[in-house]
Amino acid sequence: MNWLLVVAGAAVGAPLRYLTDRATKARFGPGFPWGTFAVNVAGSFLLGLLTGVASTQAHLLLGTGLCGALTTYSTFSYETLKLYEDGAKGYAVLNVAGSLAAGLGAVWLGVRTAGLL
C-alpha cells in the first residue's frame, strides 16, 4: 500500500509544478525559468523539513510522491542548456549557481526548522 502514498503525492506534485511554471511565465515572462527554480527550492525546503520529523508514510507521500513530482532536475538541465544555446549564457550560469545555492540553503533551512519543532 505504500505505493498508493507515492501516487497520491505525485498526483498533487505534478500539477503544482505545471501550474507554478505557468504562473511564473505569466508574471515574469519566459526569459528565465523561474517556475523550475521555485519548485526546486520549495521541494528542497520541504525535504529538509521532513528530515527527522516525519513518519515513513509522510516521507512516501510528501517526500517521494509530492516532491518527486514537484521538483525536476531534467527540466532544470534542459532549461539551462536552452538558455546557453540561445545566447543567454549569463542567465544559464545564474540558473546553475542560483539553483544550487538556493536549493542548498532551502534544505538547510528546512532541516533547521525541523529541529525547532
Side-chain angles (χ1 to χ4, degrees), residues 6-32:
V6 175
V7 169
V12 174
L16 276 177
R17 176 165 53 122
Y18 172 76
L19 293 171
T20 301
D21 190 57
R22 297 285 304 236
T24 57
K25 280 184 181 164
R27 170 104 169 129
F28 302 109
F32 187 83

Side-chain angles (χ1 to χ4, degrees), residues 20-21 24-25 28-29 31-39 79 94-95:
T20 301
D21 190 57
T24 57
K25 280 184 181 164
F28 302 109
F32 187 83
W34 287 111
T36 302
F37 183 87
V39 296
E79 290 171 342
L94 179 64
N95 193 35

Side-chain angles (χ1 to χ4, degrees), residues 1-16 56-70:
M1 293 310 251
N2 288 341
W3 66 272
L4 286 174
L5 292 169
V6 175
V7 169
V12 174
L16 276 177
T56 300
Q57 288 78 19
H59 270 280
L60 290 171
L61 176 69
L62 300 173
T64 305
L66 179 84
C67 289
L70 177 68

